[in-house]
Amino acid sequence: MAYSYSPLVLLLLLLLPFSLLSAAVATVTGHENTAPREKLTHLHFFFHGRFASPNATAVLVAVPPGTNATFNTFGAVIVLDDMLKDGPEASSKLIGRAQGLTAQASLEGTYLLMVVNFVFTAGEYNGSSLAILGRFVPDVSGTERSIVGGTGKFRMARGYTVGNVYIWTASYFVLELDAYIVHY
């Protein structure tokens, strides 16, 4: 018994190897979309904050009803627009802002939940930002926080920061920060 094929089926069978070959060539020559390579960036800078007016950069905005209005009160919420500088001195160059919220999240001491964006306004990373989330303990050095995202040159960022207390007084503080950032 003889088989009969339509001319269209025969044409498709003849063209199939050519379409597979062209797909393989496109993949080998890099014409297909590929993700850029990840890189690791280490930044070292200083986080300057001021609690005291008239130039406060960290302000207590909410405390639970019937409690003292201090940032040590469980449930207290602080809004911040602190400075990121290239050195620990007040005269150091401003490289960005730390903008976000902290909340006193422990009944047993000063343990703050920190949700903040590091927004870079100068230098190589001007216009880029890092999203930071984690626990902050003011009197403990080596506190780590997660980098959970970023924008600009830090798009799709992840990593961590390590903070060491450089100065801590009743009216201002300076933290030395190292950020280890994996990004594209």
Side-chain angles (χ1 to χ4, degrees):
M1 176 177 218
Y3 292 102
S4 171
Y5 294 103
S6 110
L8 182 60
V9 171
L10 287 173
L11 181 62
L12 289 174
L13 287 173
L14 286 172
L15 292 177
L16 181 65
F18 293 108
S19 66
L20 293 175
L21 180 62
S22 66
V25 168
T27 301
V28 169
T29 59
H31 292 293
E32 195 171 289
N33 289 334
T34 57
R37 293 180 55 113
E38 288 184 328
K39 52 189 156 191
L40 175 65
T41 298
H42 171 238
L43 299 179
H44 181 82
F45 53 93
F46 293 81
F47 184 126
H48 293 247
R50 183 168 297 283
F51 303 121
S53 293
N55 298 319
T57 60
V59 178
L60 180 65
V61 295
V63 291
T67 61
N68 294 332
T70 70
F71 80 95
N72 291 332
T73 304
F74 175 70
V77 176
I78 300 123
V79 175
L80 36 112
D81 185 10
D82 293 329
M83 297 165 284
L84 301 177
K85 295 188 172 196
D86 65 359
E89 297 81 19
S91 62
S92 297
K93 181 181 176 190
L94 182 69
I95 61 168
R97 306 297 293 194
Q99 299 171 328
L101 303 169
T102 61
Q104 173 53 302
S106 174
L107 290 168
E108 301 176 358
T110 304
Y111 302 103
L112 302 166
L113 168 65
M114 179 177 263
V115 181
V116 66
N117 287 316
F118 290 165
V119 181
F120 295 95
T121 58
E124 180 181 353
Y125 302 107
N126 183 19
S128 300
S129 69
L130 293 170
I132 312 298
L133 175 66
R135 188 179 201 206
F136 174 60
V137 185
D139 57 353
V140 175
S141 282
T143 302
E144 293 186 10
R145 282 168 297 285
S146 300
I147 296 171
V148 296
T151 64
K153 290 190 177 181
F154 296 126
R155 190 173 293 133
M156 301 286 289
R158 65 187 189 283
Y160 65 99
T161 66
V162 179
N164 292 299
V165 177
Y166 192 84
I167 298 170
W168 192 275
T169 72
S171 62
Y172 72 97
F173 66 90
V174 176
L175 303 176
E176 182 176 20
L177 287 174
D178 285 289
Y180 299 91
I181 309 147
V182 177
H183 61 102
Y184 292 102

